[in-house]
Amino acid sequence: MDVRIDSSGKYADARLAADRYRGYEEILRGRDMRDAVFVSSRVCGYHGGQHAIASVQAVEMAIDLPPTPMAVGLRNLGLCAEMVHAEAAHLVLLAAPDFSRQLVGEHYPDLLSMAMRAPAEHVELHGYPTIGDIMGSLDPITGRWYKDAFDVARIPYEMYAVIHGKYPHPQTIVPGGVGSYMSQTAVSKIQDYAVRLLSLVDPAKRIATMIIDLLDWLASIPGLSDIGRGPANFIDSGMWDDPEPYDHTWEGLSLRSKMRWAAPGVVINGQLVTGDLAEVAAGVEETVQNSFFDDLGSPVQGAPYPALRRAPRPQAINWNGKYSWCTSARWRGQTVETGPGARLWTTALRGTMPRPNPFLGAQNGT
Protein backbone atom coordinates (compact mmCIF):
# COMPACT_ATOMS: atom_id res chain seq x y z
CA MET A 1 0.00 0.00 0.00
CA ASP A 2 1.23 3.49 -0.89
CA VAL A 3 -0.55 6.41 0.81
CA ARG A 4 0.40 10.01 0.17
CA ILE A 5 -0.60 12.97 2.32
CA ASP A 6 -0.49 16.59 1.13
CA SER A 7 0.90 19.57 3.01
CA SER A 8 -2.44 20.17 4.77
CA GLY A 9 -2.47 16.67 6.23
CA LYS A 10 -5.18 15.33 3.91
CA TYR A 11 -4.95 12.17 1.84
CA ALA A 12 -3.80 13.04 -1.67
CA ASP A 13 -3.47 9.55 -3.15
CA ALA A 14 -3.71 5.91 -2.10
CA ARG A 15 -2.66 2.81 -4.05
CA LEU A 16 -2.97 -0.83 -3.14
CA ALA A 17 -1.48 -3.90 -4.81
CA ALA A 18 -1.66 -7.61 -4.03
CA ASP A 19 1.99 -8.58 -4.39
CA ARG A 20 1.72 -12.36 -3.77
CA TYR A 21 0.66 -14.90 -6.35
CA ARG A 22 -1.03 -17.97 -4.89
CA GLY A 23 -1.62 -19.82 -8.14
CA TYR A 24 -4.19 -22.38 -7.09
CA GLU A 25 -5.81 -22.10 -10.51
CA GLU A 26 -2.58 -23.31 -12.08
CA ILE A 27 -2.17 -26.08 -9.49
CA LEU A 28 -5.62 -27.41 -10.44
CA ARG A 29 -5.10 -27.23 -14.20
CA GLY A 30 -4.87 -30.70 -15.75
CA ARG A 31 -5.61 -32.62 -12.54
CA ASP A 32 -8.38 -35.10 -11.83
CA MET A 33 -11.44 -32.96 -11.09
CA ARG A 34 -11.98 -34.81 -7.81
CA ASP A 35 -8.78 -33.20 -6.54
CA ALA A 36 -10.46 -29.79 -6.76
CA VAL A 37 -12.22 -30.21 -3.42
CA PHE A 38 -9.03 -30.90 -1.49
CA VAL A 39 -6.75 -28.47 -3.33
CA SER A 40 -9.10 -25.48 -3.43
CA SER A 41 -10.03 -25.79 0.25
CA ARG A 42 -6.42 -24.83 0.98
CA VAL A 43 -6.79 -21.47 -0.75
CA CYS A 44 -7.81 -20.12 2.64
CA GLY A 45 -7.22 -21.40 6.17
CA TYR A 46 -10.12 -19.28 7.36
CA HIS A 47 -12.95 -20.46 5.08
CA GLY A 48 -11.70 -23.80 3.81
CA GLY A 49 -15.06 -25.47 4.25
CA GLN A 50 -16.83 -22.99 2.00
CA HIS A 51 -14.21 -23.47 -0.72
CA ALA A 52 -14.68 -27.23 -0.40
CA ILE A 53 -18.47 -26.94 -0.73
CA ALA A 54 -18.19 -24.69 -3.80
CA SER A 55 -15.77 -27.13 -5.43
CA VAL A 56 -17.75 -30.26 -4.64
CA GLN A 57 -20.94 -28.70 -6.04
CA ALA A 58 -19.08 -27.87 -9.26
CA VAL A 59 -17.78 -31.44 -9.51
CA GLU A 60 -21.24 -32.92 -8.84
CA MET A 61 -22.66 -30.70 -11.56
CA ALA A 62 -19.91 -31.72 -14.02
CA ILE A 63 -20.20 -35.50 -13.50
CA ASP A 64 -23.96 -35.56 -12.78
CA LEU A 65 -23.64 -37.01 -9.28
CA PRO A 66 -26.30 -35.78 -6.85
CA PRO A 67 -25.55 -35.75 -3.10
CA THR A 68 -27.92 -37.46 -0.69
CA PRO A 69 -30.30 -35.33 1.41
CA MET A 70 -28.39 -36.32 4.56
CA ALA A 71 -25.16 -35.10 2.97
CA VAL A 72 -26.71 -31.73 2.11
CA GLY A 73 -27.94 -31.38 5.69
CA LEU A 74 -24.53 -32.25 7.15
CA ARG A 75 -22.85 -29.78 4.81
CA ASN A 76 -25.28 -27.13 6.05
CA LEU A 77 -24.26 -27.81 9.64
CA GLY A 78 -20.61 -27.45 8.72
CA LEU A 79 -21.27 -24.15 6.96
CA CYS A 80 -23.13 -22.88 10.03
CA ALA A 81 -20.21 -23.72 12.31
CA GLU A 82 -17.72 -22.12 9.96
CA MET A 83 -19.75 -18.94 9.74
CA VAL A 84 -20.13 -18.65 13.52
CA HIS A 85 -16.36 -18.90 13.86
CA ALA A 86 -15.71 -16.41 11.07
CA GLU A 87 -18.00 -13.74 12.46
CA ALA A 88 -16.78 -14.10 16.04
CA ALA A 89 -13.15 -14.00 14.99
CA HIS A 90 -13.64 -11.15 12.56
CA LEU A 91 -15.75 -8.93 14.80
CA VAL A 92 -13.51 -9.21 17.85
CA LEU A 93 -10.05 -10.39 16.83
CA LEU A 94 -9.59 -8.77 13.42
CA ALA A 95 -11.81 -5.70 13.06
CA ALA A 96 -12.46 -4.67 16.66
CA PRO A 97 -8.87 -3.58 17.50
CA ASP A 98 -9.39 -0.61 15.15
CA PHE A 99 -12.09 0.55 17.59
CA SER A 100 -10.27 -0.38 20.79
CA ARG A 101 -9.49 2.04 23.60
CA GLN A 102 -5.79 1.55 22.95
CA LEU A 103 -5.85 2.59 19.29
CA VAL A 104 -8.61 5.20 19.53
CA GLY A 105 -6.87 6.79 22.50
CA GLU A 106 -3.58 6.94 20.63
CA HIS A 107 -4.94 8.46 17.43
CA TYR A 108 -8.20 10.19 18.50
CA PRO A 109 -7.94 11.07 22.22
CA ASP A 110 -10.86 13.52 22.06
CA LEU A 111 -13.10 10.81 20.64
CA LEU A 112 -12.08 8.43 23.45
CA SER A 113 -12.93 11.08 26.05
CA MET A 114 -16.40 11.36 24.56
CA ALA A 115 -16.75 7.57 24.51
CA MET A 116 -15.87 7.29 28.20
CA ARG A 117 -18.84 9.53 29.01
CA ALA A 118 -21.30 7.94 26.55
CA PRO A 119 -23.70 5.41 28.12
CA ALA A 120 -24.09 2.03 26.38
CA GLU A 121 -27.72 1.23 25.54
CA HIS A 122 -27.54 -2.54 26.07
CA VAL A 123 -25.51 -2.59 29.26
CA GLU A 124 -27.87 -5.18 30.76
CA LEU A 125 -26.85 -7.66 28.02
CA HIS A 126 -23.12 -7.12 27.70
CA GLY A 127 -22.26 -5.57 31.07
CA TYR A 128 -20.33 -2.47 29.91
CA PRO A 129 -21.73 0.84 31.21
CA THR A 130 -20.08 3.12 28.64
CA ILE A 131 -18.88 3.02 25.04
CA GLY A 132 -15.38 3.59 26.38
CA ASP A 133 -15.69 0.43 28.47
CA ILE A 134 -16.66 -1.51 25.34
CA MET A 135 -13.59 -0.09 23.58
CA GLY A 136 -11.44 -1.18 26.51
CA SER A 137 -12.72 -4.76 26.26
CA LEU A 138 -11.49 -4.83 22.66
CA ASP A 139 -7.89 -3.84 23.44
CA PRO A 140 -5.55 -6.35 21.76
CA ILE A 141 -4.11 -8.96 24.16
CA THR A 142 -5.32 -7.24 27.35
CA GLY A 143 -9.02 -6.58 26.68
CA ARG A 144 -11.50 -8.98 28.28
CA TRP A 145 -13.49 -9.71 25.13
CA TYR A 146 -10.41 -9.83 22.96
CA LYS A 147 -9.09 -12.63 25.17
CA ASP A 148 -12.47 -14.36 25.53
CA ALA A 149 -12.95 -14.37 21.76
CA PHE A 150 -10.20 -16.95 21.37
CA ASP A 151 -12.25 -19.43 23.41
CA VAL A 152 -15.49 -18.48 21.70
CA ALA A 153 -13.98 -18.85 18.22
CA ARG A 154 -12.58 -22.28 19.09
CA ILE A 155 -16.00 -23.82 19.79
CA PRO A 156 -17.32 -23.59 16.19
CA TYR A 157 -14.18 -25.39 15.03
CA GLU A 158 -15.05 -28.19 17.43
CA MET A 159 -18.59 -28.22 16.01
CA TYR A 160 -17.24 -28.56 12.50
CA ALA A 161 -14.88 -31.35 13.53
CA VAL A 162 -17.72 -33.27 15.20
CA ILE A 163 -19.50 -33.50 11.83
CA HIS A 164 -16.64 -33.46 9.33
CA GLY A 165 -13.67 -34.90 11.20
CA LYS A 166 -11.34 -31.91 11.23
CA TYR A 167 -10.93 -28.25 10.42
CA PRO A 168 -9.48 -26.48 8.51
CA HIS A 169 -9.25 -28.24 5.14
CA PRO A 170 -11.92 -30.91 5.69
CA GLN A 171 -11.33 -34.24 3.99
CA THR A 172 -14.90 -35.52 4.24
CA ILE A 173 -16.53 -33.16 1.70
CA VAL A 174 -16.64 -35.53 -1.28
CA PRO A 175 -18.64 -35.73 -4.54
CA GLY A 176 -21.99 -37.38 -3.92
CA GLY A 177 -22.04 -37.05 -0.17
CA VAL A 178 -20.07 -36.65 3.02
CA GLY A 179 -17.32 -39.02 4.07
CA SER A 180 -18.17 -38.94 7.78
CA TYR A 181 -19.29 -42.22 9.35
CA MET A 182 -22.66 -41.33 10.82
CA SER A 183 -24.92 -44.40 10.71
CA GLN A 184 -24.56 -45.55 14.34
CA THR A 185 -23.31 -42.34 15.89
CA ALA A 186 -25.43 -39.72 14.14
CA VAL A 187 -27.60 -38.89 17.15
CA SER A 188 -24.61 -38.60 19.46
CA LYS A 189 -22.72 -36.39 17.02
CA ILE A 190 -25.70 -34.09 16.47
CA GLN A 191 -26.14 -33.81 20.22
CA ASP A 192 -22.44 -32.91 20.64
CA TYR A 193 -22.86 -30.30 17.92
CA ALA A 194 -26.04 -28.88 19.49
CA VAL A 195 -24.52 -28.62 22.99
CA ARG A 196 -21.64 -26.55 21.62
CA LEU A 197 -24.00 -24.44 19.54
CA LEU A 198 -26.20 -23.62 22.54
CA SER A 199 -23.13 -22.64 24.55
CA LEU A 200 -22.55 -19.85 22.00
CA VAL A 201 -25.95 -18.18 22.45
CA ASP A 202 -24.89 -16.02 25.39
CA PRO A 203 -21.53 -14.95 23.88
CA ALA A 204 -23.30 -14.15 20.59
CA LYS A 205 -25.78 -11.85 22.36
CA ARG A 206 -22.98 -10.10 24.20
CA ILE A 207 -20.78 -9.60 21.14
CA ALA A 208 -23.68 -8.50 18.94
CA THR A 209 -25.01 -5.91 21.39
CA MET A 210 -21.51 -4.58 22.11
CA ILE A 211 -20.84 -4.01 18.42
CA ILE A 212 -24.32 -2.51 17.88
CA ASP A 213 -23.83 -0.04 20.73
CA LEU A 214 -20.35 0.87 19.53
CA LEU A 215 -21.29 1.40 15.88
CA ASP A 216 -24.54 3.22 16.68
CA TRP A 217 -22.62 5.64 18.87
CA LEU A 218 -19.91 6.20 16.25
CA ALA A 219 -22.58 6.82 13.62
CA SER A 220 -24.07 9.51 15.84
CA ILE A 221 -20.83 11.54 15.73
CA PRO A 222 -21.09 14.23 13.01
CA GLY A 223 -19.00 13.27 10.01
CA LEU A 224 -18.24 9.70 11.03
CA SER A 225 -21.46 8.21 9.69
CA ASP A 226 -20.53 9.27 6.14
CA ILE A 227 -17.14 7.53 6.13
CA GLY A 228 -17.22 4.56 3.80
CA ARG A 229 -20.69 5.32 2.50
CA GLY A 230 -21.29 3.92 -0.98
CA PRO A 231 -24.04 2.75 -3.32
CA ALA A 232 -26.30 -0.08 -2.21
CA ASN A 233 -24.87 -2.55 -4.73
CA PHE A 234 -24.58 -6.10 -3.44
CA ILE A 235 -24.15 -9.67 -4.63
CA ASP A 236 -24.49 -12.97 -2.79
CA SER A 237 -24.83 -16.60 -3.83
CA GLY A 238 -26.92 -17.47 -0.78
CA MET A 239 -26.34 -20.57 1.31
CA TRP A 240 -27.96 -23.43 3.25
CA ASP A 241 -29.77 -25.53 0.67
CA ASP A 242 -32.93 -27.45 1.47
CA PRO A 243 -31.92 -31.14 1.41
CA GLU A 244 -35.13 -32.62 -0.02
CA PRO A 245 -35.79 -30.68 -3.27
CA TYR A 246 -32.03 -30.19 -3.84
CA ASP A 247 -31.12 -30.29 -7.54
CA HIS A 248 -27.37 -30.48 -8.26
CA THR A 249 -27.65 -29.51 -11.95
CA TRP A 250 -27.21 -26.09 -13.54
CA GLU A 251 -30.89 -26.17 -14.50
CA GLY A 252 -31.73 -26.78 -10.84
CA LEU A 253 -30.10 -23.57 -9.64
CA SER A 254 -33.32 -21.60 -10.01
CA LEU A 255 -35.19 -23.98 -7.67
CA ARG A 256 -32.33 -23.90 -5.17
CA SER A 257 -32.50 -20.08 -5.26
CA LYS A 258 -36.01 -20.19 -3.84
CA MET A 259 -35.23 -22.84 -1.23
CA ARG A 260 -31.96 -21.50 0.15
CA TRP A 261 -32.50 -20.10 3.61
CA ALA A 262 -30.12 -17.23 2.89
CA ALA A 263 -31.20 -15.90 -0.50
CA PRO A 264 -28.95 -15.43 -3.50
CA GLY A 265 -29.31 -12.27 -5.49
CA VAL A 266 -27.93 -9.05 -6.92
CA VAL A 267 -28.97 -5.66 -5.55
CA ILE A 268 -28.28 -2.50 -7.58
CA ASN A 269 -29.03 0.89 -6.03
CA GLY A 270 -31.06 -0.80 -3.31
CA GLN A 271 -33.28 -2.76 -5.71
CA LEU A 272 -33.23 -6.55 -6.17
CA VAL A 273 -32.26 -7.07 -9.81
CA THR A 274 -32.36 -10.85 -9.69
CA GLY A 275 -32.78 -13.57 -7.10
CA ASP A 276 -32.02 -16.39 -9.53
CA LEU A 277 -28.73 -18.13 -8.69
CA ALA A 278 -28.14 -19.05 -12.34
CA GLU A 279 -28.39 -15.39 -13.36
CA VAL A 280 -26.18 -14.36 -10.45
CA ALA A 281 -23.48 -16.82 -11.52
CA ALA A 282 -23.75 -16.12 -15.25
CA GLY A 283 -23.34 -12.37 -14.73
CA VAL A 284 -20.02 -12.58 -12.86
CA GLU A 285 -17.16 -11.09 -14.89
CA GLU A 286 -13.46 -10.73 -14.17
CA THR A 287 -11.02 -8.55 -16.09
CA VAL A 288 -7.23 -8.52 -15.96
CA GLN A 289 -6.48 -5.09 -17.40
CA ASN A 290 -4.55 -4.01 -14.29
CA SER A 291 -3.37 -7.39 -13.00
CA PHE A 292 -0.37 -9.59 -13.76
CA PHE A 293 -2.27 -11.88 -16.13
CA ASP A 294 -2.59 -11.98 -19.89
CA ASP A 295 -6.14 -11.86 -21.21
CA LEU A 296 -6.84 -15.08 -23.11
CA GLY A 297 -10.12 -13.87 -24.51
CA SER A 298 -13.74 -14.85 -23.94
CA PRO A 299 -16.18 -17.21 -25.69
CA VAL A 300 -18.94 -14.65 -25.28
CA GLN A 301 -18.52 -11.14 -26.62
CA GLY A 302 -18.28 -8.63 -23.80
CA ALA A 303 -18.32 -11.28 -21.06
CA PRO A 304 -14.83 -11.72 -19.53
CA TYR A 305 -15.25 -15.05 -17.76
CA PRO A 306 -12.87 -15.82 -14.87
CA ALA A 307 -11.69 -19.15 -16.29
CA LEU A 308 -10.11 -17.50 -19.33
CA ARG A 309 -7.91 -14.97 -17.60
CA ARG A 310 -5.21 -17.50 -16.78
CA ALA A 311 -1.77 -16.62 -18.07
CA PRO A 312 0.28 -15.36 -15.11
CA ARG A 313 3.07 -13.00 -16.10
CA PRO A 314 5.17 -11.60 -13.21
CA GLN A 315 6.40 -8.08 -13.86
CA ALA A 316 7.26 -4.82 -12.18
CA ILE A 317 4.48 -2.67 -10.78
CA ASN A 318 3.18 -0.06 -13.21
CA TRP A 319 0.55 2.08 -11.53
CA ASN A 320 -0.73 3.20 -14.94
CA GLY A 321 -0.91 -0.37 -16.23
CA LYS A 322 -0.52 -3.72 -14.46
CA TYR A 323 0.20 -3.44 -10.75
CA SER A 324 -1.44 -6.30 -8.82
CA TRP A 325 -2.19 -10.02 -8.67
CA CYS A 326 -5.81 -9.12 -7.88
CA THR A 327 -8.26 -8.96 -10.75
CA SER A 328 -11.29 -6.73 -11.31
CA ALA A 329 -14.44 -8.67 -10.50
CA ARG A 330 -17.79 -7.23 -11.59
CA TRP A 331 -21.38 -8.30 -12.11
CA ARG A 332 -22.41 -7.31 -15.63
CA GLY A 333 -20.06 -4.35 -15.40
CA GLN A 334 -21.33 -3.20 -12.00
CA THR A 335 -19.13 -2.91 -8.93
CA VAL A 336 -20.89 -4.85 -6.16
CA GLU A 337 -20.15 -5.66 -2.54
CA THR A 338 -20.36 -9.10 -0.97
CA GLY A 339 -20.33 -10.40 2.58
CA PRO A 340 -22.81 -10.73 5.47
CA GLY A 341 -24.36 -7.33 4.75
CA ALA A 342 -25.03 -8.31 1.16
CA ARG A 343 -26.64 -11.55 2.32
CA LEU A 344 -28.99 -9.63 4.61
CA TRP A 345 -30.02 -7.34 1.77
CA THR A 346 -30.73 -10.15 -0.71
CA THR A 347 -32.59 -12.23 1.86
CA ALA A 348 -34.71 -9.31 3.08
CA LEU A 349 -35.61 -8.17 -0.45
CA ARG A 350 -36.68 -11.69 -1.46
CA GLY A 351 -39.68 -11.14 0.79
CA THR A 352 -40.30 -14.76 1.77
CA MET A 353 -38.31 -17.07 4.04
CA PRO A 354 -38.25 -20.85 3.68
CA ARG A 355 -37.82 -22.45 7.07
CA PRO A 356 -35.56 -25.47 6.54
CA ASN A 357 -35.02 -28.38 8.81
CA PRO A 358 -31.50 -29.61 7.91
CA PHE A 359 -32.80 -33.15 7.49
CA LEU A 360 -36.57 -33.03 6.94
CA GLY A 361 -36.93 -30.39 4.26
CA ALA A 362 -38.62 -27.01 4.21
CA GLN A 363 -41.96 -25.34 4.52
CA ASN A 364 -42.45 -21.96 2.91
CA GLY A 365 -43.22 -19.11 5.24
CA THR A 366 -43.34 -15.34 5.12
Side-chain angles (χ1 to χ4, degrees), residues 11-353:
Y11 291 109
D13 192 16
R15 299 173 178 181
L16 178 65
D19 59 0
R20 291 177 177 85
Y21 175 56
R22 307 180 89 177
Y24 278 85
E25 300 88 347
E26 297 302 314
I27 295 173
L28 285 167
R29 190 183 298 277
R31 297 177 67 117
D32 188 310
M33 69 172 65
R34 291 169 297 184
D35 292 345
V37 181
F38 306 115
V39 174
S40 63
S41 74
R42 285 156 174 81
V43 172
C44 176
Y46 201 58
H47 297 108
Q50 295 179 34
H51 287 285
I53 293 294
S55 294
V56 81
Q57 290 180 350
V59 172
E60 289 167 347
M61 188 180 292
I63 64 177
D64 193 20
L65 179 62
T68 65
M70 175 67 81
V72 176
L74 293 176
R75 291 173 184 178
N76 285 342
L77 293 180
L79 287 171
C80 287
E82 191 173 43
M83 177 169 289
V84 172
H85 164 83
E87 301 311 325
H90 174 78
L91 283 174
V92 183
L93 299 177
L94 300 180
D98 290 344
F99 304 94
S100 66
R101 182 168 55 194
Q102 178 180 325
L103 271 70
V104 172
E106 179 178 349
H107 298 285
Y108 305 100
D110 292 342
L111 186 65
L112 178 60
S113 296
M114 296 169 59
M116 297 302 296
R117 300 190 300 269
E121 180 179 354
H122 297 100
V123 59
E124 74 282 358
L125 292 176
H126 52 63
Y128 294 103
T130 71
I131 300 299
D133 294 323
I134 293 176
M135 290 180 173
S137 75
L138 303 176
D139 281 343
I141 307 302
T142 60
R144 173 191 165 187
W145 260 108
Y146 186 90
K147 293 186 291 185
D148 287 350
F150 285 97
D151 289 331
V152 172
R154 185 194 74 249
I155 296 173
Y157 276 178
E158 295 176 355
M159 294 162 56
Y160 199 102
V162 165
I163 302 296
H164 293 296
K166 75 180 186 73
Y167 193 91
H169 318 314
Q171 299 293 106
T172 55
I173 307 298
V174 294
V178 169
S180 304
Y181 183 72
M182 299 289 292
S183 61
Q184 296 180 355
T185 60
V187 173
S188 176
K189 287 187 176 183
I190 298 302
Q191 288 175 339
D192 288 346
Y193 181 102
V195 167
R196 289 171 171 83
L197 177 62
L198 292 174
S199 74
L200 292 170
V201 172
D202 184 64
K205 289 181 178 180
R206 291 174 182 270
I207 293 174
T209 52
M210 286 167 55
I211 299 300
I212 288 172
D213 283 356
L214 175 60
L215 295 184
D216 281 351
W217 179 78
L218 289 171
S220 71
I221 306 299
L224 291 184
S225 61
D226 294 327
I227 295 177
R229 184 183 296 274
N233 292 350
F234 304 101
I235 186 171
D236 196 81
S237 61
M239 62 192 308
W240 300 311
D241 286 299
D242 187 307
E244 293 298 336
Y246 184 90
D247 188 331
H248 68 290
T249 65
W250 177 268
E251 293 74 18
L253 289 180
S254 296
L255 172 63
R256 287 165 60 187
S257 305
K258 300 175 183 178
M259 303 308 294
R260 281 190 168 179
W261 185 59
V266 175
V267 176
I268 303 296
N269 294 323
Q271 301 297 315
L272 185 65
V273 175
T274 180
D276 190 306
L277 185 55
E279 292 184 17
V280 173
V284 174
E285 304 168 354
E286 198 170 18
T287 61
V288 297
Q289 179 179 355
N290 299 115
S291 62
F292 301 140
F293 293 94
D294 284 344
D295 193 341
L296 301 182
S298 172
V300 180
Q301 186 65 30
Y305 282 89
L308 297 184
R309 66 180 170 85
R310 299 298 167 217
R313 189 178 296 278
Q315 55 196 278
I317 287 178
N318 176 5
W319 290 114
N320 295 317
K322 293 180 177 294
Y323 56 84
S324 177
W325 283 111
C326 281
T327 60
S328 299
R330 301 287 186 270
W331 189 82
R332 295 183 179 174
Q334 293 275 0
T335 302
V336 287
E337 179 182 346
T338 188
R343 193 172 302 118
L344 289 174
W345 272 80
T346 57
T347 303
L349 291 178
R350 179 173 59 181
T352 60
M353 176 67 76

